[in-house]
Amino acid sequence: MTTTAERRGGRASERALADLREAILEGELPAGAHLGEVEIAERLGLSRTPVREALTRLASEGLVELEAHRGARVTRFSREDLDGIFDVRLALEPQATARAADHATPADLDELEALAGAMLAVGAPGPEQDLDALVDLNRDFHARLLALAHAPALAAALANVVHTPVVTRTFRTYDPDSLARSLAHHAEIVAALRAGDGDWAGAVMRCHLGNARAVMVGER
Amino acid sequence: MTTTAERRGGRASERALADLREAILEGELPAGAHLGEVEIAERLGLSRTPVREALTRLASEGLVELEAHRGARVTRFSREDLDGIFDVRLALEPQATARAADHATPADLDELEALAGAMLAVGAPGPEQDLDALVDLNRDFHARLLALAHAPALAAALANVVHTPVVTRTFRTYDPDSLARSLAHHAEIVAALRAGDGDWAGAVMRCHLGNARAVMVGER
DNA sequence: CTCCTCGATGTTGTACGCAACGTAGGGTGC
DNA sequence: GCACCCTACGTTGCGTACAACATCGAGGAG
């Protein structure tokens, strides 16, 4: 969501960026892994140039760390880092959610509700449960919500720090109760937006983040 | 303050980044100006490669916009953009200021006080007034304050969006009363921190930003 | 045996060259 | 006279080659 820089490089550069990001977020490239430019270039069938550009961007997003003449490493997120990220989210996302109430059209709300519904269906305990699908749906939901706020600076601040995917990489760490709460929050946010009550929506988002923080960061 | 990515490229790349950033913030490269890679490369006596890397980073910071096969342009900030930036600052900087109260040592406070004092001296009306020096002092003050919060994620979120220098490019737009208030706020923040009162310090920062917003954005 | 120095090796940093893409201008057809 | 197409130009995107730097290992001196 580096809005403008994202659509550079018709093909290769963008592909390298997307592939690397996915590999990191998917856990395929574990935290602390060394990323050699040639290694990645060969792996993707590209030259070093676009790979280098992709690494530069990932570094500015904070997903990798660059050390001069020593290559790049996948960033290691400590418990404190994660906690700090939740501080930022709590400072910004409720506000964004509240603003979404002023801009959301009925069509927008229908889409959000569909996502929330899908998450409830996919996340319900039982043999049909698919926690991986949940990750994508969740990402979509939050992204759309953020877009509805019509606050580009706010969205940029979040995008460049939160690494939502890192934080929301998996729902497997959620215990059943927390997961149920999380899914219910999405639906409640839509309800609040439908009611045009930004304060309510923002409050739900705060609950949502508090719940997530407890799961991911643990005891404070 | 892209902490890790900043110290890449022993010489040329970093130089290009710094020079370009300064040129943009100084107004030497006006908003909307077209930035050709070869043009900049020749101007700095470098190859296109480091220039290209610098442009990529500036784009991810939001200072320039990249259009595929069409080059880079200096970002144009609208009034709404500026307003949105202040929303982010108001959401994050008071919190950071409050946290600084927990970490600041007497030595830190002395340095902050020195900066605040220098600003009062340099900013006082009269023949000695130097509004340009004020910009650097102000940048220093806010940067140190942010560092004292010990909240890297928060600092990163701000750095990647606020472009403090863009916002604080000049104090010439301040009327005498607003300027006096602004300078007094710095001193009051130090006082609040010395008292160990994070809430107070955060409140002053909110005032500080509200005052600045009124000057820079105008009527809401 | 330990420490220091020096070389070998692999990496990143930079420069340059070619190809692809977008744009603007002139020319032609209607 | 106007609209459309086609060509020529300038730009960026990518690949490759070379140079600079950092690290690690071996060898020798103390």
Side-chain angles (χ1 to χ4, degrees):
Chain A
M1 194 157 298
T2 315
T3 63
T4 160
E6 198 76 347
R7 62 166 161 275
R8 184 176 201 171
R11 286 182 306 273
S13 171
E14 197 167 345
R15 229 182 56 101
L17 182 64
D19 281 352
L20 276 176
R21 192 151 41 194
E22 189 181 339
I24 293 173
L25 300 176
E26 225 56 43
E28 195 175 337
L29 292 174
H34 178 78
L35 302 176
E37 293 182 0
V38 291
E39 174 194 347
I40 300 172
E42 288 175 0
R43 172 174 165 168
L44 299 180
L46 298 169
S47 160
R48 273 180 51 209
T49 309
V51 171
R52 187 179 175 77
E53 187 169 327
L55 284 176
T56 301
R57 287 204 221 159
L58 288 174
S60 79
E61 289 181 21
L63 275 180
V64 306
E65 290 174 343
L66 268 38
E67 307 165 77
H69 287 283
R70 291 182 51 188
R73 312 189 79 82
V74 179
T75 303
R76 216 180 268 283
F77 284 93
S78 68
R79 202 157 298 261
E80 286 77 20
D81 291 332
L82 225 62
D83 206 47
I85 289 175
F86 271 101
D87 284 335
V88 175
R89 293 189 71 178
L90 274 165
L92 299 179
E93 285 200 56
Q95 185 176 343
T97 305
R99 292 198 178 205
D102 301 330
H103 302 289
T105 67
D108 293 329
L109 293 174
D110 289 344
E111 292 181 15
L112 280 181
E113 189 156 28
L115 284 171
M119 292 180 79
L120 277 168
V122 169
E128 298 293 316
Q129 194 179 42
D130 183 351
L131 295 176
D132 292 327
L134 217 47
V135 174
D136 291 330
L137 287 169
N138 186 57
R139 182 153 45 198
D140 254 39
F141 184 89
H142 282 268
R144 277 171 192 272
L145 197 54
L146 198 53
L148 286 179
H150 290 288
L154 212 151
L158 273 168
N160 273 315
V161 173
V162 160
H163 314 303
T164 307
V166 168
V167 177
T168 322
R169 179 161 46 205
T170 176
F171 279 93
R172 299 188 193 289
T173 55
Y174 277 70
D175 62 279
D177 284 348
S178 299
L179 180 59
R181 271 197 293 271
S182 180
L183 299 184
H185 287 150
H186 294 134
E188 185 172 355
I189 285 172
V190 178
L193 292 180
R194 239 185 244 289
D197 189 337
D199 287 340
W200 178 15
V204 180
M205 180 55 86
R206 259 188 294 276
C207 300
H208 190 57
L209 292 173
N211 185 51
R213 172 183 232 155
V215 171
M216 315 227 49
V217 181
E219 308 279 326
R220 301 203 61 201
Chain B
M1 198 157 294
T2 315
T3 62
T4 160
E6 199 76 349
R7 62 165 159 274
R8 185 176 201 170
R11 287 184 304 274
S13 171
E14 196 168 344
R15 229 183 57 101
L17 182 64
D19 281 352
L20 276 176
R21 194 155 35 199
E22 188 180 339
I24 293 173
L25 300 176
E26 226 56 43
E28 195 175 337
L29 292 174
H34 177 78
L35 302 176
E37 294 182 0
V38 292
E39 173 194 347
I40 300 171
E42 289 175 0
R43 172 175 164 169
L44 298 180
L46 298 170
S47 162
R48 272 179 52 211
T49 308
V51 171
R52 187 180 175 75
E53 187 169 327
L55 284 176
T56 300
R57 288 204 221 159
L58 288 174
S60 77
E61 288 180 23
L63 274 180
V64 305
E65 290 174 344
L66 267 39
E67 305 166 77
H69 288 282
R70 292 181 50 189
R73 313 190 80 82
V74 178
T75 303
R76 215 179 272 280
F77 284 93
S78 67
R79 203 157 297 260
E80 286 77 20
D81 292 333
L82 226 63
D83 207 46
I85 288 175
F86 271 102
D87 285 335
V88 175
R89 294 188 71 176
L90 274 165
L92 299 179
E93 286 200 56
Q95 185 175 343
T97 305
R99 292 196 178 210
D102 301 331
H103 301 289
T105 67
D108 294 328
L109 293 173
D110 288 344
E111 292 181 16
L112 281 180
E113 189 156 27
L115 284 170
M119 292 181 78
L120 278 168
V122 169
E128 298 292 317
Q129 194 179 43
D130 183 350
L131 295 175
D132 292 327
L134 218 47
V135 174
D136 291 330
L137 288 169
N138 186 57
R139 182 151 48 198
D140 254 40
F141 184 88
H142 283 267
R144 277 171 191 271
L145 198 54
L146 198 54
L148 286 179
H150 290 290
L154 212 151
L158 274 169
N160 273 314
V161 173
V162 160
H163 313 304
T164 306
V166 169
V167 177
T168 321
R169 181 160 42 206
T170 176
F171 279 93
R172 298 189 194 288
T173 55
Y174 277 68
D175 61 281
D177 284 347
S178 300
L179 181 58
R181 270 197 293 273
S182 181
L183 299 183
H185 287 149
H186 292 134
E188 185 172 357
I189 286 173
V190 177
L193 292 180
R194 239 185 242 289
D197 190 337
D199 286 339
W200 178 15
V204 181
M205 180 55 87
R206 259 188 294 276
C207 301
H208 190 57
L209 291 172
N211 185 52
R213 172 183 232 152
V215 172
M216 314 226 51
V217 181
E219 307 280 324
R220 300 203 62 201

